[in-house]
Amino acid sequence: MALIIKKPNGTRDVVPSQINKWQTVEKLAADTAQAFGFKEIRIPTFEETGLFNRSVGDTTDVVQKEMYKVSAKSRDNGKDDEEYNLRPEGTAGTVRAVLENGLLNEALPQKLFYILSCFRHERPQANRLREFHQFGVEMFGSSSPAADADVICLAKTLLGRAGLKNIKLYINSIGCPGCRAKYYKVLREFLSARENELCDTCKSRLEKNPMRVLDCKSPICGEIAKDAPKIVDYLCDDCKAHFEGLKANLAAMDIKYEINPKIVRGLDYYTRTVFEFVSEDIGSQGTVCGGGRYDGLVEQLGGAPTPALGFAMGLERFISVMEAEGCDFISPKRCDLYIASMGEAASRKAVELAYKLRLEGYYVEYDVMNRGIKPQMKYSNKLNSIFTMVLGDNELETAAAKLKCMDSGEQLDIALDDKFVDNFSNALVAEMFKAEDMSL
Ligand code: ATP
Ligand code: MG
């Protein structure tokens, strides 16, 4: 086959045989968020460019190098083309939506979650894509470190419910703009002494955003960063107390962590708490979840000063780690009943009975390929059907058929009358109980 058009570099198709993995993490994420009182929000895929420049920050890699533009011809003659950006992350759009819909006028804290696609023009590699998916949560209104611990606990609970055992939590505090000004001075002095060893990107970061050097993925910068002064040593009293509060809350929940001064996050809006959950099982792109506090962002986007915090979890990486650790995924749904048929009248009966069952929500299939009984049964086996039923002239005449349980080989008589749906439902429930007994 000569494929004429292929998918864009750095994107993925999720084929049906893999979809159960996505359904597993999406369901676990939504259930866990709801258990912590977070409600779902959905936001547009593209937003005005200014939103990302103002929030994510125009000195960040994400904004400088990784954003996708979308443009469309203006529909008003003479007006400029419209230009937007595909979202590189979910926080900026969520904060915009929170303000635009007045969600901060509701009872606080306002707690939201989302599952969405993000777009970044990065160099594609394992676990680094150009279109990827995030599960994220955002909480608005609380400046208490109890909120930071709550959000970290949510992420930890989700990873635990997925069956992951090998994930480490790293925390740090990057203080408020006040402590950062003092820290930048010391850090700049330290880094300037080794300026010519830094990578080109970090040389340019030195002036505007020296903390980003600590997060640089180049080995030389990493080496230099090891001996750099640590921001936790330069926190003001309030930020220090906040960080101590977070540690106490984590200890109260028995959540283990390591303080990692190199965690500074790649986006500009963070203040105080920053954290990451990292796996060592999927190679170098092992950060599954990153988050922190962004107390200044709501005001920066035009709202009243409102403390806020959140995290985003990369779902592709989450699934990769689950695979690496051998975690369970929801099994694909089995076909409840396959109705095989011989002859035209029987095939019409199959259609009628299948329709009645499907109206009640059962997963039922019948032949649409004009195949003989043997290939129909083979297909039913592929569907891993729980029951099969064969309809032919005899069954139509007697208005009765045999329901065959595919696991045990047992056969039950079933009347093809107006009790058919109820009787099938009872047979299926009985079968489910048996299967459950066996698995105990
Ligand atoms: P990294 O350091 O790996 O580049 P980041 O700091 O850019 O991550 P965030 O912006 O905090 O990541 O996004 C949160 C999470 O989204 C990351 O921890 C990761 O799991 C996931 N993620 C980010 N970029 C990508 C990508 N290009 N491909 C797949 N997942 C990604
Ligand atoms: Mg990145």
Side-chain angles (χ1 to χ4, degrees):
M1 182 188 63
L3 194 59
I4 298 173
I5 295 169
K6 293 188 177 168
K7 65 180 180 316
N9 216 350
T11 64
R12 272 194 196 168
D13 301 310
V14 181
V15 294
S17 62
Q18 299 295 309
I19 202 72
N20 63 317
K21 297 179 178 170
W22 284 85
Q23 289 167 343
T24 304
V25 296
E26 285 168 7
K27 183 165 179 347
L28 271 177
D31 285 355
T32 309
Q34 272 149 11
F36 279 73
F38 286 70
K39 303 213 164 57
E40 185 173 2
I41 187 164
R42 298 190 186 190
I43 54 169
T45 310
F46 59 97
E47 299 268 4
E48 289 203 9
T49 307
L51 176 68
F52 302 115
N53 293 351
R54 276 165 179 268
S55 53
V56 175
D58 42 19
T59 63
T60 59
D61 280 358
V62 171
V63 165
Q64 281 189 342
K65 302 189 209 153
E66 298 171 2
M67 284 228 281
Y68 278 92
K69 277 188 190 147
V70 248
S71 56
K73 287 253 167 294
S74 169
R75 299 181 68 101
D76 294 330
N77 275 342
K79 284 231 172 123
D80 288 346
D81 288 354
E82 288 174 26
E83 215 162 76
Y84 297 96
N85 281 98
L86 293 181
R87 59 184 172 218
E89 50 93 70
T91 303
T94 302
V95 174
R96 190 230 6 96
V98 160
L99 294 175
E100 201 160 340
N101 294 282
L103 301 187
L104 295 181
N105 304 327
E106 297 177 2
L108 296 178
Q110 179 63 267
K111 302 196 280 187
L112 302 168
F113 81 90
Y114 50 77
I115 293 174
L116 45 71
S117 50
C118 302
F119 306 85
R120 296 187 194 176
H121 193 248
E122 304 204 64
R123 192 164 61 78
Q125 46 189 302
N127 292 304
R128 188 172 291 289
L129 294 149
R130 288 182 171 171
E131 181 184 18
F132 61 99
H133 297 79
Q134 287 187 340
F135 158 65
V137 310
E138 316 289 352
M139 190 197 291
F140 299 88
S142 170
S143 58
S144 160
D148 306 51
D150 192 47
V151 159
I152 290 174
C153 183
L154 197 171
K156 168 99 188 163
T157 305
L158 170 56
L159 299 169
R161 285 182 71 188
L164 299 180
K165 301 205 163 58
N166 236 345
I167 286 229
K168 272 197 170 159
L169 165 63
Y170 295 101
I171 62 168
N172 191 21
S173 173
I174 54 171
C176 59
C179 355
R180 228 172 297 160
K182 270 189 272 163
Y183 174 62
Y184 275 11
K185 222 171 136 236
V186 193
L187 181 62
R188 251 187 228 115
E189 266 164 34
F190 170 86
L191 293 172
S192 303
R194 300 182 67 176
E195 185 173 351
N196 42 21
E197 292 171 68
L198 295 173
C199 75
D200 287 346
T201 326
C202 282
K203 278 186 190 127
S204 68
R205 281 166 172 159
L206 205 54
E207 199 39 50
K208 272 197 151 171
N209 215 335
M211 207 160 59
R212 194 65 31 76
V213 177
L214 306 181
D215 186 41
C216 179
K217 297 195 168 75
S218 109
I220 317 144
C221 301
E223 207 39 53
I224 295 174
K226 267 191 195 151
D227 305 321
K230 300 181 176 69
I231 179 130
V232 278
D233 298 330
Y234 294 84
L235 296 181
C236 65
D237 288 347
D238 284 352
C239 288
K240 214 183 278 170
H242 194 274
F243 196 40
E244 290 309 315
L246 169 64
K247 290 191 242 173
N249 273 291
L250 291 177
M253 294 177 182
D254 202 23
I255 294 178
K256 306 273 177 294
Y257 60 84
E258 206 173 286
I259 298 173
N260 183 345
K262 280 182 69 179
I263 293 196
V264 294
R265 313 290 307 125
L267 316 175
D268 265 0
Y269 46 60
Y270 287 106
T271 51
R272 292 190 168 168
T273 309
V274 285
F275 62 91
E276 288 184 2
F277 284 89
V278 182
S279 162
E280 278 167 14
D281 295 328
I282 57 165
S284 53
Q285 315 300 329
T287 307
V288 176
C289 173
R293 189 167 264 289
Y294 50 90
D295 287 344
L297 183 58
V298 173
E299 192 180 8
Q300 220 169 297
L301 291 178
T306 309
L309 68 160
F311 68 70
M313 195 177 276
L315 294 183
E316 282 82 359
R317 291 188 195 176
F318 188 7
I319 291 173
S320 292
V321 183
M322 283 180 73
E323 288 169 338
E325 286 202 30
C327 300
D328 290 332
F329 294 100
I330 301 170
S331 344
K333 183 155 171 47
R334 294 179 69 179
C335 177
D336 291 321
L337 173 65
Y338 185 85
I339 312 179
S341 61
M342 274 177 296
E344 219 170 282
S347 98
R348 272 201 296 276
K349 188 71 182 171
V351 172
E352 176 203 320
L353 295 176
Y355 178 62
K356 284 184 177 153
L357 288 170
R358 286 170 172 175
L359 276 179
E360 299 301 317
Y362 295 105
Y363 168 19
V364 185
E365 297 231 32
Y366 53 82
D367 178 55
V368 290
M369 300 289 290
N370 273 326
R371 288 178 175 139
I373 285 290
K374 225 173 145 190
Q376 287 188 49
M377 296 307 282
K378 211 167 143 191
Y379 186 68
S380 169
N381 276 336
K382 278 212 180 112
L383 298 175
N384 195 17
S385 308
I386 299 172
F387 286 107
T388 34
M389 184 170 82
V390 181
L391 298 184
D393 293 343
N394 198 18
E395 282 76 14
L396 296 191
E397 250 164 55
T398 56
K402 295 240 181 278
L403 203 53
K404 182 174 177 189
C405 170
M406 298 307 281
D407 289 342
S408 65
E410 271 172 43
Q411 304 220 40
L412 307 166
D413 291 315
I414 189 162
L416 306 178
D417 57 10
D418 53 6
K419 293 262 168 36
F420 174 75
V421 172
D422 288 344
N423 287 333
F424 176 76
S425 156
N426 291 338
L428 189 64
V429 170
E431 195 46 42
M432 295 293 141
F433 272 119
K434 255 192 264 167
E436 219 162 83
D437 276 352
M438 281 199 299
S439 70
L440 287 178

